Structure formats: C-alpha cells, structure tokens
Amino acid sequence: MRAGAKQVALQAKGFLLEQEGDKLFELASEISPHAPCLEIGSYCGKSAIFLGEGCRTAGKHPLFSLDHHGGSEEQQPGQPYFDPDLYDPELQAFTTLQEFMNNLRRCALLDWVVPIAAKSILAGRYWHTPLSLVFIDGGHSEQDVFQDFHTWAVHLIRGGYLCVHDVFPDPADGGQAPYHMFEHARALRAWEYVGMFHSLGVLRKR
Ligand code: MG
C-alpha cells in the first residue's frame, strides 16, 4: 500500500482499526482480479481507501462504494456518534459525501473507487454485476444488516469474500446485529469461515 494513501486512510474520520483496514487491503488485492469489489457504508472513505488501494494494486477491477451519505441513526444530531464537522447547517443535514470525495482525491483513487450515493436497497434492486468481495458496514439495525446480506451476498462469485464489520460476540463491546448476521451466514453450507480480525468477520463463498 502506498504510504501516502495509508496516511490519508489513518487520518480519515471513521471507525475502522488499522489492522482491519490492512486485512481489507490484503483481501481486495488478492481477489479483485476476478471481479469488482463493493462496500456498503462508505462514511468518509476510510475503508474505501484500503479496499480501493487493494484494487489499484491488483490493477484490474475497481471498488464500488455505496452510501446514501446521510449518516446512520446514531450519527444524527443529538445521537452518540454525531460529528458536528459533518453537519451542514444550511441544509440542516448530516452529509459525508464531500469529505468522502475529498479523501479519495487526496490519495488519487478516483479511478479505483466508484461512488454510489444511494440507499443500499434501491441500488441493489438494479444490480447484476458479479462481485469478488462484499464488505457490509452500513446500517447496523437487524433489518438493515440482514437486508444488506440478502441483497448483496448473492452477487459474490465462488471463492469471493464476504466481510462484515462490527462483529461483536460480546454485547458489552457493541450492537449485536452484525454478529447475528455473521453467525447466521457462517452456519450456512454456502460459506466457509475464514476468520475474525478484531471486529472484521470474513467468510468465503464455496
Ligand atoms: Mg463499522
């Protein structure tokens, strides 16, 4: 990974640990020659830089990075993950799109990361492209997480990676919806367990 891109990724706002980012970079570098990658939940681009840099290194297919860019429920004003820097007082709206684009520009990744500013379910309705890696880090409610799994995991090629962020087996560490979805998928014969990397759970499609 280019040192400059790594620096931008580490400085970007977001909730991804460096070791988790390094694993995403590694997986995207390995698998993206087979098909594009897609992430749900771009926020300010931290994970998109690691994944996009992996795609760039492999040199074949890009990352599609999907987010409505309005922030999740817990990022709205008055909520625990609200960041006033990302609030537009004129529009009275929380928006991460500008910061996301700026971070991609800072590391010259716009040829390797294709932004999709849309709700996951709406974009998913029209999606037909096979994917080599899907990273789920969008809405963290049970409904959102399972909907993202059912919408996007079907597009993975055989051998493709399903990556899920914020998988916390212990409720004391965080919300349980991603963990429930990960365990649900893990129990299905279609998926092979790869490992846990902090809160990043990885499965591989058989
Ligand atoms: Mg996350």
Side-chain angles (χ1 to χ4, degrees):
M1 183 163 183
R2 293 170 300 161
K6 179 77 173 261
Q7 199 182 349
V8 176
L10 295 180
Q11 285 171 358
K13 292 173 184 289
F15 311 94
L16 190 81
L17 299 177
E18 181 176 359
Q19 298 92 327
E20 296 169 337
D22 288 341
K23 182 46 88 172
L24 290 176
F25 168 77
E26 179 194 317
L27 295 174
S29 308
E30 177 207 321
I31 203 73
S32 67
H34 300 285
C37 303
L38 183 138
E39 72 169 350
I40 302 105
S42 319
Y43 197 59
C44 295
K46 191 186 272 287
S47 54
I49 294 172
F50 285 103
L51 288 165
E53 186 72 9
C55 291
R56 182 188 172 279
T57 300
K60 186 82 186 278
H61 295 293
L63 166 76
F64 289 89
S65 181
L66 193 160
D67 198 312
H68 52 61
H69 285 287
S72 59
E73 277 173 43
E74 61 275 19
Q75 288 157 355
Q76 302 308 314
Q79 299 302 309
Y81 288 94
F82 176 65
D83 182 338
D85 293 351
L86 300 169
Y87 187 74
D88 186 321
E90 192 192 323
L91 297 174
Q92 296 193 5
F94 182 90
T95 174
T96 50
L97 184 57
Q98 194 63 54
E99 186 64 14
F100 172 72
M101 294 302 294
N102 288 347
N103 280 329
L104 292 182
R105 274 188 206 102
R106 284 181 182 115
C107 38
L109 271 176
L110 283 167
D111 287 338
W112 293 101
V113 180
V114 182
I116 304 177
K119 289 182 177 170
S120 166
I121 191 146
L122 179 59
R125 211 175 286 157
Y126 300 93
W127 192 269
H128 296 289
T129 303
L131 298 166
S132 65
L133 182 153
V134 168
F135 175 46
I136 297 182
D137 192 23
H140 282 41
S141 68
E142 294 277 339
Q143 190 190 341
D144 285 341
V145 167
F146 275 86
Q147 200 166 68
D148 284 338
F149 170 66
H150 289 123
T151 301
W152 297 103
V154 292
H155 297 292
L156 277 169
I157 59 172
R158 281 183 73 178
Y161 291 113
L162 177 67
C163 306
V164 185
H165 197 224
D166 303 311
V167 174
F168 297 117
D170 183 348
D173 294 329
Q176 294 291 283
Y179 172 67
H180 292 157
M181 185 273 275
F182 187 76
E183 288 301 299
H184 164 79
R186 187 179 167 175
L188 302 174
R189 280 195 56 222
W191 301 95
E192 178 190 347
Y193 179 70
V194 174
M196 284 295 308
F197 308 90
H198 292 271
S199 79
L200 177 71
V202 182
L203 301 175
R204 191 161 203 187
K205 199 171 201 174
R206 287 191 209 275

